[in-house]
Amino acid sequence: MAETSIFLAGNLTSDPELHHSPGGTARATFRVAVSARVRDGERWRDGEPAFYYNVVVWRDQAVHAAESLAKGSRVVAVGRLAQRSWQADDGSARSVVEVVADELGPSLRWATATTTRATRSLSS
């Protein structure tokens, strides 16, 4: 069965948080606010309330995101939904649905960007 892709275009609500696993694998997390904007004649107006998505990126892309993005950055992300579960310190079961991004980049709808090709690491 093929995975369903999700596409997001929105703004970061905070700077990406970069963490490394004990084995050294980089993981960046951040939230993206996606709001509907609808055309009303010649003007744009806000539509439905914003949705907030937790986004995760791994390895070199995680490092690139942490170095390139900041709170308020407009981004485009393509990935898949994944559910993660764990047991909290108080013993309760917790879970969250996240977007695991395969592709991530700045949105050029209202901004410009300059890119620099990264040197490919051996951990990719």
Side-chain angles (χ1 to χ4, degrees), residues 3-8 77-81 98-103:
E3 290 182 345
T4 302
S5 293
I6 184 168
F7 168 88
L8 302 175
V78 179
R80 61 193 183 285
L81 293 176
E98 302 169 318
V99 175
V100 179
D102 298 315
E103 294 290 337

Side-chain angles (χ1 to χ4, degrees), residues 85-88 90-95:
S85 301
W86 70 97
Q87 186 171 4
D90 64 5
S92 61
R94 304 285 176 95
S95 68

